[in-house]
Amino acid sequence: MIYSIKPASSSFSLAAGDLSSIRRSSPAKLRFSPLPIIRNCQKQSFNNHNVSIQKPLHVSSAENLSIFPATQKREVKVEAYEAERSRPLDISIELPDQQAAQKLKIGIYFATWWALNVVFNIYNKKVLNAFPYPWLTSTLSLACGSLMMLGSWATRVADAPKTDFEFWKTLFPVAVAHTIGHVAATVSMSKVAVSFTHIIKSGEPAFSVLVSRLFLGETFPLPVYLSLLPIIGGCALSAFTELNFNMTGFMGAMISNLAFVFRNIFSKKGMSGKSVSGMNYYACLSMLSLLILTPFAVAVEGPQMWAAGWQNAVAQIGPNFVWWVVAQSVFYHLYNQVSYMSLDQISPLTFSIGNTMKRISVIVSSIIIFHTPVQPVNALGAAIAILGTFLYSQAKQ
């Protein structure tokens, strides 16, 4: 903190004859004021040196504040500089304990986010295998989350956000990107294995850098660009060696990557300076996305196809199918809600890194549970892509 020094007396000039009175009396007292500047629009004489203080003076250092023997003068050396601005800088300093607590908080968010996402992907794939209607499945996920949050606001379990028209206007492009990404990912998983979808979606950092460079004008160090090579190469190798390759599934994962990058960037901008928390922000996002998606889902698939598919799925699976649909919808909302609580604390690029590292657990668990056949070359491509993601995170740091 910078302190200003105000002399107790109106004059700061000392004559040689006054030294004896200084020695007999207590030393001149200096008052330390918490004000960040010294304001003085007059000229004062400091030992016959005229100093003009038209601008605020900030004290840089004070040395040799002492009384020497009677043969010497009492010297006060004060170094100051003229400030260009009269307002002090606002500097936020986090203590080590606060930094550790913040890292622990984000770590818990990430671990919960990844665990919930694994459970969602398992139930989502089970539902899509028995009920191949990704547009309705996506709509039910958003509807479930919207109802959960409306119920929590009504029962005061969570505080309802205070929003206005400007908030919903800013949220609209985020909701469009979220809707496209959600449907595209669900379409992809209805056509190919969960592991393949997430291997392709591990290329999200490449899309994040591309979008940030082209649309936001951000530049990155050379190691960041170089780290994208193994990510892109690994994803390509996995795609070429996938046993059950499907172009619709591949394109769905690619479109989802691009849409979610835009969603994350727009979300961070929309959440900056807003009083709406990450949890409530995603709740509002789900409701708006539901309004956007519902008419398209009805137009693409329609109630007749849904009714026939539902009866067929219940006949094959039994009552457990209903619980699968409920589970995938609930866990979809929960994992996204936690992810937005994480996004509230970190940057979009860090969010993309965490999102990519999450895919490791999803890929491994889905291969084990669904007994997905994997060729060695295909596994090598996935490993290279994940290694590239790690190198990317290191280059970003």
Side-chain angles (χ1 to χ4, degrees):
M1 178 181 293
I2 299 176
Y3 291 91
S4 62
I5 302 180
K6 299 181 180 179
S9 60
S10 60
S11 175
F12 207 70
S13 301
L14 296 177
D18 296 334
L19 292 176
S20 58
S21 62
I22 292 178
R23 288 194 299 269
R24 290 191 298 268
S25 62
S26 60
K29 295 183 179 180
L30 297 177
R31 288 188 299 163
F32 286 81
S33 171
L35 295 176
I37 58 174
I38 303 176
R39 298 185 181 273
N40 194 343
C41 297
Q42 300 177 354
K43 291 185 177 180
Q44 296 186 5
S45 176
F46 289 0
N47 293 333
N48 298 327
H49 295 284
N50 291 329
V51 180
S52 176
I53 340 177
Q54 298 298 328
K55 296 181 180 180
L57 288 182
H58 291 257
V59 175
S60 174
S61 62
E63 300 175 352
N64 301 328
L65 184 60
S66 60
I67 300 177
F68 290 85
T71 56
Q72 300 182 15
K73 293 183 179 180
R74 180 180 185 274
E75 297 182 356
V76 177
K77 182 179 179 181
V78 177
E79 296 177 356
Y81 62 92
E82 287 187 340
E84 295 295 332
R85 299 177 181 178
S86 60
R87 294 183 61 186
L89 294 176
D90 294 331
I91 302 177
S92 176
I93 301 176
E94 288 189 357
L95 299 177
D97 292 343
Q98 294 176 332
Q99 293 177 351
Q102 181 69 9
K103 290 181 179 179
L104 178 61
K105 180 180 179 181
I106 295 176
I108 294 174
Y109 280 162
F110 272 34
T112 307
W113 171 26
W114 297 346
L116 293 173
N117 187 258
V118 168
V119 177
F120 158 72
N121 278 276
I122 292 173
Y123 280 106
N124 190 49
K125 184 59 177 177
K126 287 185 175 182
V127 170
L128 292 172
N129 286 340
F131 185 75
Y133 298 98
W135 288 81
L136 177 59
T137 304
S138 302
T139 305
L140 293 176
S141 301
L142 296 174
C144 179
S146 300
L147 291 175
M148 289 172 61
M149 289 309 300
L150 288 174
S152 64
W153 292 340
T155 57
R156 299 185 181 275
V157 174
D159 294 331
K162 297 180 180 179
T163 61
D164 51 16
F165 176 77
E166 188 65 26
F167 170 81
W168 292 100
K169 179 182 177 181
T170 307
L171 186 66
F172 183 76
V174 185
V176 172
H178 178 71
T179 304
I180 296 174
H182 177 37
V183 174
T186 309
V187 169
S188 176
M189 281 189 281
S190 69
K191 299 296 182 180
V192 295
V194 176
S195 57
F196 178 70
T197 298
H198 282 274
I199 289 173
I200 301 303
K201 285 175 67 64
S202 65
E204 187 173 317
F207 287 87
S208 182
V209 171
L210 180 64
V211 170
S212 299
R213 183 69 182 90
L214 295 179
F215 294 92
L216 302 181
E218 296 184 13
T219 58
F220 304 93
L222 180 60
V224 173
Y225 294 107
L226 294 178
S227 66
L228 300 181
L229 297 178
I231 296 177
I232 298 174
C235 292
L237 182 60
S238 295
F240 291 146
T241 58
E242 175 64 25
L243 295 176
N244 299 316
F245 180 83
N246 180 279
M247 182 56 70
T248 303
F250 174 76
M251 291 305 299
M254 295 291 284
I255 294 173
S256 178
N257 276 340
L258 185 60
F260 281 150
V261 167
F262 276 107
R263 181 200 67 175
N264 296 340
I265 293 176
F266 292 151
S267 295
K268 193 64 179 180
K269 287 186 174 182
M271 293 167 67
S272 300
K274 297 291 184 181
S275 59
V276 180
S277 64
M279 180 179 65
N280 284 335
Y281 188 90
Y282 178 71
C284 297
L285 177 61
S286 295
M287 297 173 189
L288 188 54
S289 295
L290 178 62
L291 295 177
I292 297 173
L293 176 58
T294 300
F296 289 96
V298 173
V300 173
E301 294 174 347
Q304 293 181 352
M305 296 178 62
W306 294 340
W310 187 274
Q311 292 177 0
N312 185 41
V314 172
Q316 290 182 357
I317 307 300
N320 286 336
F321 174 74
V322 178
W323 293 110
W324 290 358
V325 174
V326 173
Q328 73 91 22
S329 300
V330 170
F331 280 102
Y332 174 80
H333 174 77
L334 291 178
Y335 101 76
N336 273 287
Q337 189 178 77
V338 175
S339 71
Y340 264 79
M341 294 169 67
S342 303
L343 185 60
D344 207 6
Q345 307 288 328
I346 57 180
S347 68
L349 286 174
T350 304
F351 182 87
S352 295
I353 295 171
N355 198 26
T356 303
M357 299 303 292
K358 168 206 67 180
R359 303 194 192 284
I360 299 176
S361 57
V362 175
I363 291 170
V364 174
S365 62
S366 63
I367 291 175
I368 295 174
I369 293 174
F370 295 107
H371 305 287
T372 305
V374 179
Q375 291 183 332
V377 180
N378 186 268
L380 177 62
I384 293 175
I386 293 171
L387 176 61
T389 303
F390 173 76
L391 296 176
Y392 171 84
S393 63
Q394 296 300 309
K396 280 297 298 176
Q397 290 178 359

